[in-house]
Amino acid sequence: MPTLKPKLAMYWAASCGGCEIALANINEALLEVDAYFDFMFCPCLLDTKRADIEALPDGAIFLTLFNGALRTEENLEMAELLRRKSQLFVAFGACAASGGIPALANQHGIGHVLETVFRSSASVDNAAGPIPGGSSPVPGGELELPAFLQRVLAVHEAVTVDYTMPGCPPEPEQIVAVIRHVASGNPLPENGTLLGCTARAVCDQCGREKRGSLAARLARPFEAVPEAGWCLAEQGFPCIGTATHGGCGALCPAVAMPCTGCYGALDRNADPGAAALSALAAVVDPGESGGKAEADIHARLRSALAGVADPLGTFYRYNLAATVVADRSPEVEP
């Protein structure tokens, strides 16, 4: 039966499904979603087909929550289709906002990624060596897999995004707040606004005490048990909460896990990796510099920061697609 309720769509591109789980975790507030919206498209939960979306007039969907980065041609086509059919288009979650984990693959060529995933990983058993792709005959016709894009894109690199809601995933209470605001009919914020986060750092919501001390070196989480109640960064754990938007409730530091920056850089004009590195460098004791050569001071800092075993994955974990760090070109593909 046709409904006059505004249509709500949610789509996943290159993502893990955590954003859909976050939506499901709003629990009884789903009844509010159902009361206000016609929740009509979500491949994870509903059987609406792509053809059903294509048949809608442009702008027929009031709100689309698009999660996941753009890895394949299909991802790109769906972003373009849903953008055209939607009045409001939200980049939902870290992968849509800035590429997320999938964008770390931008440091490698497509051939290297496929070879690693389907042939050379220690957990892969693929003696015959086929790599999925192209068309294959299957009962009932031909199965064609979508091709990879040359690089993983954040959604705003391909289509116009009205709002961005960061997080890996966005926290359920933030999702509820955004949906209630939309349903209230109150004026929406200016286009381009970040939704579901605060203008202050994660540290502002963290209950751990800052003592003003400096760490002798950075350590990986498995190397030591952090002291309860004390700032993780000051204890030498690579927590980048000082450089990250709050809004998550500092859930990771609360359970002794360093903030990894999924809500995005606090300064939107800063390179997020440089901001994260600066945040960690600020808590490391540089040692006595008096009378020491500059090279000795640099050596001391390199030693102190050596606890970051994976600099790219630490400083650019969620945002490599949208940063100034250049992708590796095909010419340097291994």
Side-chain angles (χ1 to χ4, degrees):
M1 177 179 296
T3 175
L4 296 178
K5 293 190 289 188
K7 297 184 186 302
L8 171 66
M10 186 173 194
Y11 186 76
W12 55 1
S15 66
C16 66
C19 288
E20 279 78 8
I21 293 174
L23 179 66
N25 281 345
I26 68 175
N27 299 320
E28 64 272 17
L30 280 171
L31 298 176
E32 297 180 41
V33 174
D34 180 66
Y36 184 78
F37 290 105
D38 172 19
F39 191 16
M40 46 74 66
F41 184 55
C42 182
C44 181
L45 303 172
L46 305 170
D47 194 31
T48 316
K49 305 300 186 187
R50 173 171 170 165
D52 299 322
I53 303 301
E54 292 172 333
L56 292 171
D58 288 356
I61 300 172
F62 178 67
L63 172 63
T64 286
L65 305 176
F66 192 101
N67 75 83
L70 307 182
R71 168 76 279 185
T72 68
E73 291 179 352
E74 181 187 44
N75 298 155
L76 177 59
E77 291 169 5
M78 289 305 297
E80 293 172 341
L81 174 64
L82 287 166
R83 170 66 277 188
R84 191 166 68 252
K85 302 297 180 181
S86 305
Q87 297 175 39
L88 296 176
F89 188 94
V90 176
F92 187 85
C95 294
S98 50
I101 300 293
L104 291 173
N106 285 351
Q107 287 291 294
H108 304 278
I110 293 175
H112 177 75
V113 171
L114 294 175
E115 177 70 22
T116 301
V117 171
F118 293 105
R119 288 178 176 160
S120 61
S121 288
S123 58
V124 172
D125 182 3
N126 183 13
I131 290 179
S135 297
S136 302
V138 297
E142 285 282 323
L143 175 65
E144 183 171 352
L145 294 178
F148 271 17
L149 300 175
Q150 283 302 309
R151 61 187 293 274
V152 176
L153 302 174
V155 176
H156 69 82
E157 295 182 276
V159 300
T160 300
V161 170
D162 297 309
Y163 301 106
T164 297
M165 195 167 179
C168 183
E171 286 302 314
E173 60 270 24
Q174 298 286 9
I175 300 172
V176 171
V178 170
I179 288 176
R180 284 175 177 165
H181 183 89
V182 173
S184 72
N186 290 327
L188 297 174
E190 181 181 352
N191 274 22
T193 300
L194 290 177
L195 304 179
C197 64
T198 71
R200 301 179 69 88
V202 170
C203 298
D204 192 55
Q205 298 179 307
C206 183
R208 290 179 173 270
E209 177 189 13
K210 285 185 180 294
R211 301 175 183 173
S213 58
L214 297 175
R217 69 180 185 89
L218 295 180
R220 301 180 72 181
F222 68 84
E223 293 185 283
V225 177
E227 180 181 321
W230 184 17
C231 171
L232 292 173
E234 290 187 355
Q235 295 184 65
F237 296 100
C239 183
I240 56 176
T242 55
T244 303
H245 271 292
C248 60
L251 295 176
C252 293
V255 294
M257 289 303 295
C259 169
T260 56
C262 74
Y263 264 60
L266 194 57
D267 181 355
R268 296 182 71 177
N269 297 317
D271 178 80
L277 175 59
S278 296
L280 292 184
V283 298
V284 173
D285 186 357
E288 292 294 332
S289 58
K292 290 186 176 180
E294 187 173 342
D296 293 334
I297 297 173
H298 286 174
R300 157 67 187 139
L301 287 174
R302 280 197 297 272
S303 174
L305 295 171
V308 179
D310 175 15
L312 189 74
T314 299
F315 302 130
Y316 293 98
R317 180 170 301 185
Y318 304 102
N319 44 53
L320 193 60
T323 64
V324 299
V325 176
D327 305 334
R328 293 188 69 177
S329 70
E331 289 73 23
V332 297
E333 181 177 333

